[in-house]
Amino acid sequence: MMRFNSIYVVGTFPDAANTNRNIRAFMADGMKEAADSDTLVFDVSQTQFYNNANIGSRDFCLFVGSVLSPNYCVESMLARARRTGAKTAIWLHDDPYEFDACTRVVDGVDLILTNDRSSLYHYNERTPVFHMPLAASRHFTQEPSPTRLHDFFFAGIPYSNRIRFFGEFVAALQVDESKVRGLLLGPGWSLKQFDFAIDLRVETDELMRFYNESLVTIYLGRDLDLKNERYGIRSSTPGPRLFEAAGAGACQIVATPGLEVLDYFTPDEEIIFVDDAREAAAALLETKRDRDRSMKIGMNAHKRVMSEHLYVHRAKQILRLIASV
Amino acid sequence: MRIDVIDSSYRTRNHYLIVSVVAALRSRPDVSEVRMLELADALVQTRSRPPDVLIVFGGEQCENYVICQLSRAARVSVVWFTEDPFEIERNLQNHGLFDLVFTNDKSAAARYGSKGHHLPLAANAGHAGELLPFAKRRYDISFVGTLWPNRARFFAESHVSLGNIKTKFELVGNEHLRAALAGIPTPYPVGTGVDYLDFMRINRNSRISLMIDREFSGSGRNQVSDTPGPRFFEAASTGACVFVDVRGSGDIDALGFVPNEDYFRFSNIAEFASLIAEFKESQAPFEIAARALRDKVLQAHTYAERVGRILDLVKVKLESASVSNAATSIASRKPKILALAHNLPKFGRFGGGELYLQTLIKQSPQYDFFILAHDDRKGFGKRYVLVNMNMEVVDELVPKSPNSDLYLRHEEIEAFFLRVVEDVDPDLLFINHLLGFPPAILPLARHIGLTSITVLHDYHLVCDAYNLLMADQVYCGGYGYPGDRCDLCTYKRRGLPLGSQLRRRNFYRYALQSSDVVVSNSRTVANLIGRMSDTDLSRCAIIEPPVLVEASPHEGEITGLRKIAVIGNIFPHKGSEDLSEIAASLRDLAIEFHVFGLYDKRLGARIKRLKLSNVKFHGAYAPGKMGDAVHSCDAALFLSRWPETYCMSLDEALALGLVPIAYRLGALEERISDEVGFLIEIHAQAAVQLIRSLHENPAPLRQRALALRRRAPRPETFIPKYHELFASVLSKRDTRSRQGVTKARPEHMGLEWATDRWDAAGAPASHIKTKKGAISRAWKRMRFWRR
């Protein structure tokens, strides 16, 4: 493995505008674990990068984040890092939803990492590109709690596919006339539409508690493209919430149109994989009847995350890749 | 054999197919190199090394300029049309561009004459994956695709016959179909679908894969291909048993597949229901068929096999092809240079930038120059003219929507630029100044393969305040990123929202990097612009401007400092306010300041108000002809508050043997050494202190004046260096004619990330509404500083 004096994990745009900045912090923590003990690892905001980072030719700059906004100067940051002779990589974590914007950076780094496997084939070939799913932070992992306060829990923004899903899900639950305690959490959910929804964004530790204390956590993908017109790529890799919830000991019902999730978790052992809202409702009712199932799946998922899907695992892989390019 | 592959469509849902084709080509030992090109810069990529073979994939939009140019340059050009028969009429119009034509549709092949060959799409063996036994598969039956009306009817009618078998139907909604689907019940949820790789995963996990082709056309002309599409081969390669609705799925048997042995067919719901009933009864025959089909596809219907068929015919063509198809018709004629200028001397107001271009043109008779100029006499962005060597207007554009310095794109001006390129057919684009033009011109030039040289006359490429003076007329220091300071400054100067300057700099940076060669008057300026935009300009060409005055130093001995020349147009950015302060501070000494050139009216008024008799104004002058008064001066004062990019007035002072005293800033700092002049801090009192000291003790002044006289005059390197640069750039130019360049598609430039203007997101340039008078007020402010 290549030895670096310092590794900078750098945000691609100002922290003030970045609601996902914890991903960078998690990655920096993972990198600290993965790097040699004498390598310094810094979690660096855009401003700190310009004002304080003293990058040299034996350093590695890993940029993490979105490149969508034309207001931010990611190309300039990459150029500045490269000029020092440092190795550079960018981990784009909003593919394929912002894929068209990636043309800004494809020629500016030594290595591109995309969070989405289906986007991998659409990059031009001038820069090496590898698939790197997001992951879970070790700091927010725990074994499942025997206290399961909520029957089902979901956290996320109400994209149209999610609203549609919960409409069908609730309808399917009512067919069974079951009394189910659910919680739908995220900015923008309407209480008028779902009486178990709360229009709220919570801190990471609070979110992990919900994952940990729910009988099942529902995982859904997203269908909101921001700049994905050129190839109209459909996302295939699940987002970070899947790994975070699993790490927090959640028993997840996963309803994604694609099957890539099965590359990360074994169905019926580490997750409950379903094909639609009706199956999800049936799976919830079954888990309500067999509460041990929730504990068992949550524990298995937690173990899988601890062994394969922490940011430290991604960091080790990134260090191997950057050494090879 | 070197091969270039390009998708003719910029926007496509089938990009994964070309990736498979490229992978298959790379696996062949007879292919030494495969490049996958992008429409945005394919012409630049291939300019110096055209390939032996060009393979254009898809064929849609292949009449675009880039594809036309590429096909001319390759020794053998091939197209693989993948949308026949739906696009046959359009493809027939374009197939003449190519030496070989392959089509996905059997009957279409004959319509391309002797060039035409049938080549169905195929499967990528590398994506087929491991064969799962039926027992381990998750789904009984799967389907992935758009919910066309015929499919919607099928699912509505077949729903009951499926019973309780496990289905995976990923149906994709399409808003254009809402009317056509009205009244058809949909028993399955409709979503956004899955990507190719998930399609393969789903099929690998399905016992049956359903094939129902589309029977719907927006034009109302329903057509079907006589050859199965890629999905048939892809699904089959995974080991799924394929059930085909033969009403629209092409002649599968013609490709060597046997019904009921390799695949199963149905032509109505009853037949489908009967197949499902058989499947429910026993899956074994279907599993055997699925294996047989997979084997056949992986043996004879992969992209490796298809590529082999293409290359067999290509090799025959290559034997008879010339070394290069590249048109050399323009290689022997006088090279043409298209210059972009923000102003012309004939329009009245002009400065160093215009003289620069004029001198270059006059002294370069071996090139034919054309100038595309911004004529701002009636306002910014309201008129553009094309003039020839004799300065005659040969074409003009009066945009319906005037350009603004806030715009990054301007559709009409970009189209006019392409028209000019087609008419002039230049070998080189010389950007003397980009002011007045949308910066997208530069990436557009790159897109059409036109080599460009950009000259840095000022800081326009990094800031709209192109002399880098802030609202209070103080030099900003040339900050790079982060641009919070720059954004605040822009807000204070122009009231533009925060984020604007960064957006501008990002785009202009991209534009600058699209230029093949950058020329700077001085290293200092190149470094500053490089730093501000984080662009590597270390290899940019440094060419000093032309020598406009001959050396004629006065020979008399300097006995003291009594008269100081202030040369050049003296406005606030050139230190007019500092001059009045210096003159006032030194009124007690017998020192006069002689101002040569235009000056700020406010300076004159202030001098009058302060009753400063030590300042004399001599008015405007022709370069080097300042009259006798200048010969009695002992030194020259340069009070520019902005980092000059060169300062031609300094040339004049040095030619006259006047010892320069200047602020330590910009090119002046680089050009004035301690041996011949004085550099001081950027403050009027620093000048006062130095002048006072030199008045008391003129020895250092005398010493520098003698050194100045001994110094050889600046050699004229401007023209020789430019001719050397032109020769070097033109030797690598694209010699293909630019006929048809107006068919270039600016939307293929790869600027999806950018907005059309830098002060607000999203709005296209043609729809911009600004506060009444805002632009003209901004322009007035700019014009003031431009003097």
Side-chain angles (χ1 to χ4, degrees), chain A residues 25-43:
Chain A
F26 297 159
M27 187 60 215
D29 287 341
M31 196 56 94
K32 278 174 197 161
E33 260 186 273
D36 291 329
S37 56
D38 53 353
T39 299
L40 298 170
V41 178
F42 301 98
D43 173 9

Side-chain angles (χ1 to χ4, degrees), chain B residues 409-473:
Chain B
R409 307 281 311 268
H410 194 293
E411 209 174 295
E412 238 182 316
I413 298 170
E414 287 168 27
F416 180 62
F417 171 72
L418 291 177
R419 191 173 89 202
V420 166
V421 169
E422 183 164 67
D423 292 346
V424 173
D425 200 4
D427 301 288
L428 179 65
L429 178 66
F430 181 82
I431 297 181
N432 194 52
H433 209 297
L434 207 52
L435 184 69
F437 293 90
I441 291 271
L442 265 168
L444 184 57
R446 181 175 162 81
H447 177 61
I448 61 172
L450 181 57
T451 308
S452 61
I453 294 176
T454 302
V455 186
L456 307 175
H457 281 299
D458 54 30
Y459 302 94
H460 176 69
L461 292 172
V462 284
C463 184
D464 62 308
Y466 48 83
N467 46 26
L468 301 184
L469 293 180
M470 299 186 290
D472 52 3
Q473 296 309 301

Side-chain angles (χ1 to χ4, degrees), chain A residues 291-303:
Chain A
R291 295 179 79 88
D292 288 348
R293 185 189 188 205
S294 167
M295 288 295 289
K296 193 180 109 204
I297 288 179
M299 180 59 86
N300 290 344
H302 168 77
K303 284 181 183 164

Side-chain angles (χ1 to χ4, degrees), chain A residues 46-47 50-51 68 70-73 75-77 79-80 83 100-101 103-104 117-118 121-126 164 168 223 227-236 256-260 262-263 267 273-276 278-279, chain B residues 10-13 15-16 19 22 26 34 36 38 41 45 127 138-139 166-168 170 187 189-195 197-198 201-202 205 480-482 498-499 502-503 506 509 530-531 533-536 750 752-755:
Chain A
Q46 191 191 49
T47 313
Y50 279 111
N51 295 337
L68 179 68
N71 291 13
Y72 306 127
C73 43
E75 308 95 319
S76 141
M77 297 171 75
R80 189 170 285 202
R83 232 178 16 242
D100 293 352
T103 52
R104 294 174 71 183
R117 189 177 285 168
S118 64
Y121 295 98
H122 296 84
Y123 279 91
N124 80 22
E125 299 187 325
R126 289 180 220 153
R164 198 171 52 237
E168 290 166 7
D223 69 355
K227 277 266 183 210
N228 181 22
E229 289 165 20
R230 189 170 175 199
Y231 299 127
I233 307 164
R234 299 291 96 211
S235 157
S236 69
T256 53
L259 304 181
E260 193 183 311
L262 305 181
D263 293 351
F273 185 79
V274 298
D275 289 297
D276 54 41
R278 277 173 294 196
E279 283 187 16
Chain B
Y10 188 72
R11 293 173 193 273
T12 171
R13 296 293 181 264
H15 189 249
Y16 74 94
V19 175
V22 167
R26 290 205 173 123
V34 183
M36 194 154 93
E38 288 265 356
D41 62 358
Q45 296 294 323
H127 292 162
R138 185 174 178 84
Y139 307 111
K166 174 78 174 158
T167 59
K168 176 76 169 171
E170 284 302 326
V190 178
T192 51
V194 295
D195 207 70
L197 290 178
D198 264 328
R201 283 191 196 97
I202 289 170
N205 273 285
Y481 292 99
L498 297 183
L502 272 184
R503 196 182 330 213
N506 275 339
R509 177 180 190 274
R531 177 161 62 90
S533 63
D534 269 317
T535 303
D536 183 8
E752 281 89 349
W753 57 272
T755 51

Side-chain angles (χ1 to χ4, degrees), chain A residues 202-269:
Chain A
V202 295
E203 291 299 319
T204 309
D205 51 354
E206 192 72 359
L207 183 62
M208 297 304 148
R209 200 168 58 77
F210 282 117
Y211 288 143
N212 190 252
E213 295 181 352
S214 297
L215 189 68
V216 301
T217 294
I218 292 175
Y219 177 82
L220 302 172
R222 148 184 174 180
D223 69 355
L224 182 78
D225 287 330
L226 298 175
K227 277 266 183 210
N228 181 22
E229 289 165 20
R230 189 170 175 199
Y231 299 127
I233 307 164
R234 299 291 96 211
S235 157
S236 69
T237 305
R241 290 250 158 94
L242 179 85
F243 303 105
E244 290 166 2
C251 166
Q252 295 186 86
I253 294 180
V254 179
T256 53
L259 304 181
E260 193 183 311
V261 65
L262 305 181
D263 293 351
Y264 310 108
F265 295 100
T266 309
D268 301 327
E269 289 177 20

